[in-house]
């Protein structure tokens, strides 16, 4: 039997519905015997009753409008990566055009205006999305302009990005890196480093259209499917994971007629190794200590086709007619998951059998073509 | 062209707004403005500072949305931003007032209390309890005001309050307790609450039958 003081300590929780039914019942019994506690509860309820109602709140006229008017432009920290993006871009674009006929289906789909959704041509500036593919000439001249911006920004942003632990640095494995339209847009500081413009996903692939309700900014869905809490990457992006980043809506909205071309980012992994020159090849990766090769378990996952970009620079484990298998250590898999979270792409346990070469302890991810 | 987001689920609004869609964010503002203002008006003690702090909270939300991971509810997070904005506002006011007069400390203004408790009849002639509460709340410390408002006006659970204010459950509970005690004391001192047990036995029974 609890003492009076013990019950007295429970009164607020009782009032606030935080007790179990059994505990509440104990308090009720005590209240029937204790005048002091009764008085406390009665007064608390009277006060509660007299508290204002939310609905009575008077909202000043035009409040929402004045909030919207005072919103600063969303900071998009593309800058730190421009040096890596722009420098190979000219070469890349030329090469892509060269490869136009031979590169994968995607590139040609897109070049011919097919593919998913509305595709915009690749340019590095405000060319109204014409057939920039056909205009190899237009691309290089633009690049120098951006060099200037990139260089001036790259330095300040290189440091800025590093000082922000909660930013998500996306390494810029070049190929097909797209240069965002917003040269004027404010840079940095504690904005996200995240959309470090590696690749833009064109409207057709825009996550919100492809997966309208799947993975909210809250990243709930991927978490449910795959793993434990995703923490905004402190150093989440290792160089092993080039990342495709969706173009923030602000960029699109603000008339980025030149959301750069997804196709340029789609070349096969081996192409990327050629193009980027600075990508970390799988062979040069350090041994990932998280790989548990003794566990005997092979996990199989399936990604949407849009995720193919994430594996640029990465050698496939196995290529089939319908898609590509990639082998990831658990550490790499975690990194991938965080990227997917950012992009709101969904990874699901896979149905397909893993490749025969599958090693235990590795995660096998299938990306359909 | 403005898209109509009035029926869009919140998750989608958050996603779009995180990417820079101002129309989606505008809808979020409309959905939450009353709740945020209800909190900020009372924490700041007046509607002008309250509106400023509310606006500041929404701007912080806009800027922080891309990083908002959703471990908390959006509303809880928004309340946290609101409390922060109000704390800033109060500090600024303190600094202003320091220069111009007696300083406020964290225990909030020591308001001159009215004469000792009048008789119940006189108390009944006084302003309604609702108004009294509003004034009495201003006399609480910011910490006590915060927890009580979140609990009684916004009906947040202890867990949610803890999330909003970065407090553990035990601290939330003890703050609520002290807040209630203090509020009650202020009301008694103002003559709104007679000091003694005033309810009849039936009323008392009704009081503890619920909540």
């Amino acid at each position: 039997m609890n003492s009076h003081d013990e019950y007295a300590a429970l009164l607020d929780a009782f009032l606030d519905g935080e007790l179990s039914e059994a505990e509440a019942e104990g308090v009720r019994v005590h209240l029937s015997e204790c005048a002091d506690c009764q008085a406390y509860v009665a007064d608390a309820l009277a006060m509660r009753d007299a508290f204002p109602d939310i609905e009575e709140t008077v909202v000043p006229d035009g409040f929402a409008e004045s909030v919207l008017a005072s919103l600063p432009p969303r900071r998009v920290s593309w800058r730190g990566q421009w040096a890596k993006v722009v420098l190979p871009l000219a070469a890349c674009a030329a090469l892509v055009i060269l490869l136009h006929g031979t590169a994968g289906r995607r590139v040609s789909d897109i070049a011919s205006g097919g593919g998913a959704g509305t595709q915009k041509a690749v340019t590095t500036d405000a060319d109204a999305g014409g057939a920039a593919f056909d205009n190899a000439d237009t691309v290089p001249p633009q690049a120098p302009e951006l060099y200037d911006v990139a260089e001036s920004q790259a330095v300040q942003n290189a440091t800025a990005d590093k000082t922000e632990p909660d930013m998500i640095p996306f390494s810029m494995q070049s190929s097909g890196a797209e240069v965002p339209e917003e040269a004027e847009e404010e840079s940095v500081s504690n904005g996200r480093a995240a959309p470090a413009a590696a690749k833009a996903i064109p409207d057709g692939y825009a996550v919100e259209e492809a997966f309208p309700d799947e993975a909210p900014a809250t990243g709930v869905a991927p978490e449910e499917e795959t793993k434990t809490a995703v923490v905004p990457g402190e150093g989440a992006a290792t160089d092993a994971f080039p990342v495709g980043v969706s173009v923030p809506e602000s960029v699109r909205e603000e008339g980025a007629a030149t959301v750069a071309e997804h196709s340029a980012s789609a070349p096969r992994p081996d192409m990327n190794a050629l193009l980027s020159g600075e990508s970390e090849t799988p062979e040069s990766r350090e041994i990932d200590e998280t790989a548990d090769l003794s566990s005997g378990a092979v996990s199989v996952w399936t990604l949407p086709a849009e995720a193919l970009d994430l594996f640029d620079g990465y050698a496939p484990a196995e290529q089939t007619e319908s898609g590509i298998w990639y082998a990831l250590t658990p550490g790499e898999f975690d990194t991938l998951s965080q990227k997917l979270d950012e992009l709101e792409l969904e990874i699901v346990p896979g149905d397909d059998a893993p490749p025969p070469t599958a090693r235990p302890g590795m995660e096998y991810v299938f990306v359909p073509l | 062209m403005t898209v109509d987001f009035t029926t869009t689920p919140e998750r989608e609004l958050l996603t779009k707004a995180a990417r820079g869609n101002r129309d989606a964010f505008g809808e979020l503002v409309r959905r939450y403005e009353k709740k945020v203002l209800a909190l900020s008006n009372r924490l700041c003690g007046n509607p002008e500072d309250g509106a400023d702090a509310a606006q500041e909270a929404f701007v912080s939300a806009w800027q922080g949305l891309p990083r908002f991971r959703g471990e908390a509810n959006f509303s809880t997070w928004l309340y946290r931003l609101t409390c922060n904005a109000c704390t800033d506002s109060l500090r600024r006011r303190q600094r202003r007032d320091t220069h111009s007069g007696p300083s406020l400390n964290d225990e909030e203004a020591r308001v001159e209390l009215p004469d000792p408790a009048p008789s119940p009849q006189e108390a009944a002639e006084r302003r309604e309890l609702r108004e009294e509460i509003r004034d009495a709340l201003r006399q609480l410390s910011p910490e006590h005001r915060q927890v009580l408002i979140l609990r009684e006006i916004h009906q947040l659970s202890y867990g949610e309050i803890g999330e909003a204010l970065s407090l553990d459950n035990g601290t939330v509970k003890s703050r609520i307790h002290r807040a209630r005690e203090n509020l009650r004391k202020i009301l008694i001192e103002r003559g709104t609450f007679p000091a003694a047990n005033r309810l009849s036995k039936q009323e008392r029974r009704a009081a503890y039958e619920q909540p």
Side-chain angles (χ1 to χ4, degrees):
Chain A
M1 185 94 176
N2 292 356
S3 72
H4 164 82
D5 283 348
E6 283 166 349
Y7 280 116
L10 291 177
L11 293 179
D12 295 282
F14 173 75
L15 285 159
D16 297 327
E18 298 275 336
L19 294 181
S20 71
E21 184 46 41
E23 292 168 317
E25 187 54 35
V27 172
R28 277 184 213 114
V29 168
H30 174 76
L31 283 173
S32 68
E33 302 159 348
C34 175
D36 286 340
C37 288
Q38 279 170 28
Y40 182 84
V41 168
D43 285 346
L45 291 174
M47 293 192 294
R48 169 173 293 170
D49 205 49
F51 265 83
D53 211 42
I54 287 187
E55 284 312 308
E56 298 166 3
T57 309
V58 174
V59 178
D61 283 339
F63 177 78
E65 287 72 14
S66 76
V67 169
L68 288 173
S70 69
L71 295 181
R74 179 62 69 57
R75 294 188 192 114
V76 174
S77 165
W78 306 69
R79 294 327 168 46
Q81 310 299 339
W82 278 25
K84 291 188 196 170
V85 174
V86 174
L87 287 166
L89 186 62
C92 169
L95 202 50
V96 166
I97 288 151
L98 212 61
L99 297 167
H100 181 189
T102 58
R105 183 195 76 188
R106 269 209 175 125
V107 173
S108 51
D109 268 354
I110 288 158
S112 64
T118 56
Q119 304 297 342
K120 304 221 166 81
V122 77
T123 61
T124 57
D125 76 330
D127 243 11
F133 256 146
D134 304 324
N135 295 330
D137 302 320
T138 65
V139 177
Q142 309 299 339
E145 260 174 52
L146 297 159
Y147 279 163
D148 296 337
V149 181
E151 275 166 19
S152 64
Q153 299 285 9
V155 173
Q156 80 188 33
N157 286 93
T159 37
D161 287 347
K162 283 177 184 101
T163 56
E164 295 281 352
D166 60 339
M167 294 232 261
I168 304 165
F170 285 88
S171 78
M172 287 289 302
Q173 299 300 317
S174 65
S175 57
E178 260 110 39
V179 175
E181 164 71 340
E182 309 311 291
E184 323 76 55
E185 182 136 315
E186 274 157 37
S187 85
V188 204
S189 77
N190 61 349
R192 292 150 71 198
K199 298 145 211 263
I201 299 177
D203 292 350
Y205 289 105
V207 169
E208 68 197 89
E209 288 153 32
F211 302 97
D213 256 348
E214 302 286 3
T218 59
V220 170
E223 284 176 21
E224 288 163 357
E225 306 262 22
T226 61
K227 49 181 168 54
T228 54
V230 174
V231 176
E234 261 95 31
T238 65
D239 288 335
F241 261 107
V243 174
V245 175
S246 65
V247 178
E249 238 167 88
S250 60
V251 176
R252 277 194 232 120
E253 281 173 21
E254 288 163 47
T258 61
V259 169
E261 186 36 279
H262 172 76
S263 65
S265 67
R268 291 287 175 267
D270 45 347
M271 279 308 159
N272 290 333
L274 272 181
L275 297 174
S276 70
E278 53 197 357
S279 63
E280 214 168 0
T281 60
E283 295 77 48
S284 66
R285 272 204 322 268
E286 288 171 10
I287 308 272
D288 187 327
E289 285 166 9
T290 61
D292 176 13
L293 299 179
S294 62
S295 73
V298 173
S299 298
V300 174
W301 306 92
T302 304
L303 280 179
E306 291 78 2
L308 190 60
D309 301 322
L310 300 179
F311 295 91
D312 286 342
Y314 213 95
E318 177 124 344
Q319 184 148 353
T320 72
E321 281 173 345
S322 50
I324 304 177
W325 285 100
Y326 291 95
L328 307 180
T329 65
E332 288 165 356
F333 185 75
D334 277 337
T335 309
L336 171 68
S337 301
Q338 290 181 33
K339 300 296 178 303
L340 291 172
D341 215 28
E342 284 307 303
L343 299 172
E344 288 145 9
L345 293 176
E346 201 174 46
I347 186 168
V348 297
D351 292 328
D352 314 89
T357 53
R359 289 176 285 150
M362 299 286 278
E363 308 283 335
Y364 281 84
V365 178
F366 183 74
V367 187
L369 290 175
Chain B
M1 181 189 80
T2 311
V3 181
D4 179 12
F5 282 111
T6 45
T7 55
T8 311
E10 183 171 291
R11 263 170 47 163
E12 207 179 307
L13 288 179
L14 291 173
T15 306
K16 289 176 143 64
R19 297 206 193 119
N21 186 324
R22 284 160 186 249
D23 292 330
F25 188 75
E27 177 60 26
L28 284 171
V29 173
R30 273 180 283 278
R31 291 188 193 182
Y32 279 95
E33 56 188 6
K34 269 195 179 170
K35 292 180 181 147
V36 169
L37 283 164
L39 180 57
S40 66
N41 285 346
R42 280 184 196 89
L43 291 184
C44 293
N46 68 80
E48 290 76 29
D49 289 339
D52 286 344
Q55 177 158 319
E56 219 178 284
F58 279 116
V59 172
S60 297
W62 166 255
Q63 293 177 310
L65 255 183
R67 285 194 303 281
F68 171 65
R69 303 299 301 171
E71 284 101 16
N73 291 334
F74 174 68
S75 59
T76 310
W77 182 62
L78 191 54
Y79 294 148
R80 171 201 278 264
L81 297 177
T82 308
C83 289
N84 291 345
C86 294
T87 306
D88 292 343
S89 166
L90 286 174
R91 284 204 197 109
R92 266 178 260 134
R93 209 168 58 178
Q94 264 186 24
R95 281 197 289 273
R96 277 204 312 268
D97 292 348
T98 310
H99 296 307
S100 61
S103 58
L104 304 169
N105 63 27
D106 278 339
E107 283 310 304
E108 194 52 25
R110 273 178 264 285
V111 174
E112 294 94 39
L113 298 171
D115 294 327
S119 67
Q121 290 86 354
E122 288 171 73
E125 283 164 7
R126 284 183 177 258
R127 291 174 293 169
E128 281 196 34
L129 184 55
R130 294 204 144 209
E131 280 183 52
E132 294 284 343
I133 291 270
R134 225 176 44 213
D135 289 345
L137 275 175
R138 287 197 189 100
Q139 294 180 48
L140 288 178
S141 73
E143 289 79 19
H144 290 159
R145 214 166 34 229
Q146 271 176 1
V147 288
L148 215 47
I149 288 172
L150 288 174
R151 176 76 274 280
E152 301 290 16
I153 299 185
H154 295 77
Q155 270 108 47
L156 297 194
S157 70
Y158 286 6
E160 287 166 335
I161 294 175
E163 249 174 62
L165 303 177
S166 294
L167 302 171
D168 62 74
N169 244 35
T171 309
V172 171
K173 191 166 87 95
S174 61
R175 271 201 200 173
I176 285 185
H177 178 73
R178 269 184 246 119
R180 282 195 174 120
E181 288 278 19
N182 287 351
L183 190 64
R184 186 191 185 205
K185 200 160 51 149
I186 292 169
L187 291 172
I188 288 171
E189 283 165 350
R190 292 169 75 98
T192 319
F193 273 7
N197 301 338
R198 57 202 168 91
L199 297 181
S200 71
K201 215 165 170 94
Q202 282 85 355
E203 286 169 77
R204 271 189 222 131
R205 192 163 291 130
Y208 68 71
E209 220 74 276
Q210 69 103 262

